[in-house]
């Protein structure tokens, strides 16, 4: 028979897990240092596969291909961002990255996003987000807690 998709059936909640989390507080970071982004507040986590309190990683327990996305608002206290880089790591290694380069250092804040499709084995594979700011000046590197601009999520799209 056919299983109809609904809000509580096995197919929609187990076979297609999804999560999205965001920063609920600014996260201060050191200059020119790759730092794990602590997306600490979940909007949803249908299969309890995202850890929002200790290692800030998504470890899906259902194998398959997942669409993964993230955006972060990088900010300083002064207008001196030179480079902002966002990197998705799979199992601790760089997998997808993007960067914004502002050569004149006249930028106060910028948004950088990554997205892609990742294959997970359903047991040990995990992903985390890292960010880095290089600045011209000397103050205030942070991932901004703008809930509409700093988020991380994924959902299964198939086998």
């Amino acid at each position: 028979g056919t299983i109809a998709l609904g809000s509580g059936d096995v197919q929609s909640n187990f076979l297609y897990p999804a999560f999205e989390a965001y920063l609920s507080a600014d996260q201060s970071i050191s200059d020119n240092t790759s730092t794990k982004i602590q997306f600490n507040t979940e909007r949803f986590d249908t299969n309890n596969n995202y850890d929002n309190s200790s290692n800030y990683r998504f470890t899906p327990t259902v194998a398959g291909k997942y669409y993964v996305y993230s955006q972060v608002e990088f900010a300083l206290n002064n207008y001196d961002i030179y480079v902002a880089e966002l990197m998705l790591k799979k199992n601790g290694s760089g997998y997808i990255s993007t960067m914004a380069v502002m050569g004149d250092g006249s930028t106060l804040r910028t948004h950088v996003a990554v997205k892609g499709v990742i294959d997970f084995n359903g047991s040990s594979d995990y992903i985390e987000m890292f960010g880095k700011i290089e600045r011209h000046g000397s103050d205030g590197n942070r991932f901004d807690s703008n809930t509409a601009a700093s988020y991380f999520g994924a959902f299964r799209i198939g086998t």
Side-chain angles (χ1 to χ4, degrees):
T2 302
I3 298 175
L5 289 177
S7 62
D9 66 32
V10 171
Q11 186 173 3
S12 65
N13 288 339
F14 180 67
L15 295 178
Y16 292 94
F19 89 97
E20 188 172 284
Y22 63 91
L23 285 173
S24 64
D26 290 350
Q27 182 182 342
S28 295
I29 60 172
S30 299
D31 186 50
N32 202 20
T33 303
S34 184
T35 305
K36 187 186 297 188
I37 305 168
Q38 299 174 358
F39 296 100
N40 61 332
T41 303
E42 293 180 336
R43 284 195 173 100
F44 54 88
D45 186 1
T46 64
N47 209 34
N48 296 315
N49 293 149
Y50 180 72
D51 179 349
N52 70 328
S53 62
S54 63
N55 60 26
Y56 308 98
R57 67 175 56 159
F58 178 59
T59 310
T61 53
V62 179
K65 291 175 179 56
Y66 288 72
Y67 182 79
V68 178
Y69 59 94
S70 182
Q71 177 179 281
V72 174
E73 183 173 297
F74 294 83
L76 296 177
N77 293 334
N78 285 323
Y79 290 84
D80 55 8
I81 294 176
Y82 177 61
V83 176
E85 180 181 15
L86 185 61
M87 177 177 286
L88 184 148
K89 292 186 178 185
K90 180 182 178 185
N91 301 329
S93 298
Y95 196 83
I96 303 171
S97 71
T98 190
M99 87 177 38
V101 178
M102 288 66 64
D104 61 359
S106 63
T107 304
L108 177 66
R109 65 185 66 231
T110 190
H111 300 84
V112 181
V114 297
K115 58 190 173 295
V117 175
I118 298 178
D119 200 16
F120 288 89
N121 63 15
S123 58
S124 60
D125 286 343
Y126 65 91
I127 54 171
E128 305 160 301
M129 295 303 306
F130 285 75
K132 178 173 72 170
I133 291 177
E134 294 178 44
R135 64 177 181 235
H136 287 293
S138 62
D139 60 2
N141 291 19
R142 68 183 183 274
F143 305 131
D144 225 13
S145 62
N146 182 335
T147 60
S150 294
Y151 52 85
F152 178 30
F155 55 91
R156 186 169 180 266
I157 58 173
T159 57

